[in-house]
Amino acid sequence: MDAQELADLLAEVRDGTLPADDALTRLRRLPYAEVAGARIDHHRALRTGHPEAVYGPGKSPDQCARIVAEMLSGGSGPVLLTRAQPQQVTAALAACLGGAVHRPADRGSGRFGDGAQSAESLVTVVWRSADARSERVVVASAGTSDGPVACEAAAVLSAFGVSAHRVADIGLAGLHRFLAEVDTLADADAVIVVAGMEGALATAVAGVTAAPVIAVPTSVGYGAALEGVTALLAMHASCAAGISVVGIDNGFGAAMATMRVLDLAARCRREDV
């Protein structure tokens, strides 16, 4: 339940179109409901502007299905099932098919965080996608092996109505490839930069755009890359001012950080009108 839904609920009670007992039944789901060993945070969108997501790894297919069903029945939207394995997707769709959109990860060799399953078989499933928004967000990745993390970020943005512009394979080892996209980066409202190895792409992007830059280190790289630690530290140590850095392989976190920036800007525009 978000702020608008709560306001509508109270208005219905005030107008007499919804019995108070029915409203109380719905409000009992706040702030959480216990389902399948999890406490579903129905109150999160009301507090933060965005609902919680369902993280697939470590959950059984039945848990995924029951949690998604509870979130949908409680009015949450968008509802995301992230990094889901085929069995989890099948179970969730069997329970909650209507309106679901599959967003498979790009092919790539990255470990995608948990290291337990290749990224190619993991997907993000979305129910109740938000209405389209006008902001221009670029998701730029250094190499094709960074694709799964970039795809996750783009899928999460899409769930919230932002159609990300993907720019792939512009790592600095081929500087001409990066320079060919400078105008695209400069025109963005926000840029998510996904890079492994030494993570240098984030510094280069932050040097050519005034937009907020959210950097995502990936676990792509040879031994000295230390499964993403080298890129993580390099991004934190960047000489380009103002870069924000999320955890290794955290495309979801980068997208949600971007949504907070975009939502704040949208609120400021509304208040200025």
Side-chain angles (χ1 to χ4, degrees), residues 137 139 149 152-154 156-157 190-194 213-217 244-247 249-261:
V137 177
V139 177
V149 177
E152 179 180 58
V156 174
L157 289 171
V191 182
I192 294 175
V193 179
V194 183
V213 174
I214 313 295
V216 190
S244 298
V245 185
V246 299
D249 290 334
N250 192 2
F252 172 84
M256 295 310 299
T258 300
M259 290 309 306
R260 290 195 177 218
V261 171

Side-chain angles (χ1 to χ4, degrees), residues 171-190:
L172 298 188
L175 188 58
H176 54 293
R177 301 178 302 188
F178 168 77
L179 294 175
E181 299 291 349
V182 166
D183 289 342
T184 299
L185 298 167
D187 290 340
D189 294 314

